[in-house]
Amino acid sequence: MSSVVIHGHTFKPKISSSEIQKAVAEVAKQINKDLKGKQPLFLAVLNGSFMFAADLMKKVNIECEISFVKVASYEGTSSSGKIKQLIGLNEDIKGRTVVIVEDIVDTGNTIENVWEQLKALGVADIRIATLLFKPNAYTKTVPIEYAAIVIPNDFIVGYGLDYKGLGRNLEDIYVLDYENDKK
Ligand code: IMP
Ligand code: MG
């Protein structure tokens, strides 16, 4: 793996696709154990979670459904905090077990917002599965049950995550190379 340049910024390799796959398999194992018989509905939050959702679902072997929703936009290298409405939810989710599938939980603004909207719709049990979790940036109290990989407060791209729209297609995860980055 070598560095990549996105919008003029250098990102260096951080987490290989094989490490990602191992972490995803661990989360799937835990979910298979915890949610057997509950017929959970996985709600993947687009765009960022599309790769994680696909790989996770291939390893979830209990009876379940998956659907896709959208929330808000995110621009630049820090959270905007401007969260929009949940869109694309057509299922009747009252009384169900719902697993929110996210790419990354940073400040937690997005996940708290989604959580509150699902609670208001009468979901019985809400779980969060996220590929990446930044505990040092997290300011909320909503529990993050299934965090595949815990990372420090760095800005990362790849495996679904973008920097201003680019980098989502990278198979591995890269981190902004602050030292070699000429701003
Ligand atoms: P939060 O609302 O602060 O938790 O941020 C959640 C959203 O911000 C994620 O779904 C991502 O779209 C975006 N985000 C947060 N950190 C990063 C990062 O390091 N790289 C790319 N996107 C990020
Ligand atoms: Mg996102």
Side-chain angles (χ1 to χ4, degrees):
M1 286 164 74
S2 48
S3 292
V4 293
V5 177
I6 301 175
H7 290 301
H9 295 280
T10 305
F11 289 80
K12 60 185 180 185
K14 175 83 175 176
I15 308 166
S16 70
S17 71
S18 68
E19 282 177 78
I20 296 169
Q21 292 308 320
K22 262 188 237 159
V24 173
E26 278 306 309
V27 166
K29 201 171 139 191
Q30 198 60 48
I31 287 174
N32 288 333
K33 196 169 137 231
D34 293 352
L35 302 182
K36 192 169 186 204
K38 308 223 158 163
Q39 206 176 304
L41 167 66
F42 289 84
L43 276 188
V45 182
L46 295 173
N47 295 324
S49 73
F50 76 100
M51 278 203 193
F52 174 46
D55 285 338
L56 180 69
M57 296 317 291
K58 284 183 255 181
K59 296 182 174 82
V60 167
N61 58 23
I62 57 173
E63 192 172 71
C64 64
E65 290 174 47
I66 182 158
S67 192
F68 299 86
V69 291
K70 267 207 163 190
V71 192
S73 57
Y74 180 91
E75 275 167 16
T77 55
S78 74
S79 244
S80 67
K82 288 180 208 141
I83 310 299
K84 293 176 204 152
Q85 195 77 16
L86 248 192
I87 50 172
L89 186 60
N90 304 313
E91 288 73 14
D92 182 10
I93 57 173
K94 205 165 179 211
R96 294 199 62 179
T97 296
V98 170
V99 182
I100 304 167
V101 181
E102 259 287 18
D103 52 353
I104 188 164
V105 176
D106 187 32
T107 64
N109 286 331
T110 310
I111 211 73
E112 185 186 59
N113 187 283
V114 174
W115 174 282
E116 280 166 1
Q117 292 189 53
L118 293 179
K119 263 281 167 236
L121 291 168
V123 175
D125 185 2
I126 310 173
R127 310 278 176 119
I128 294 160
T130 185
L131 174 73
L132 297 149
F133 179 39
K134 295 181 185 175
N136 296 334
Y138 194 59
T139 60
K140 308 296 177 185
T141 53
V142 172
I144 311 297
E145 269 98 4
Y146 310 111
I149 302 168
V150 172
I151 57 165
N153 263 356
D154 297 324
F155 188 80
I156 54 107
V157 294
Y159 194 74
L161 289 113
D162 71 307
Y163 170 50
K164 293 185 183 171
L166 298 179
R168 293 193 197 275
N169 54 315
L170 296 164
E171 196 179 8
D172 309 287
I173 288 174
Y174 297 76
V175 63
L176 182 62
D177 189 355
Y178 298 95
E179 275 169 29
N180 294 307
D181 199 47
K182 295 174 208 81
K183 293 216 173 97

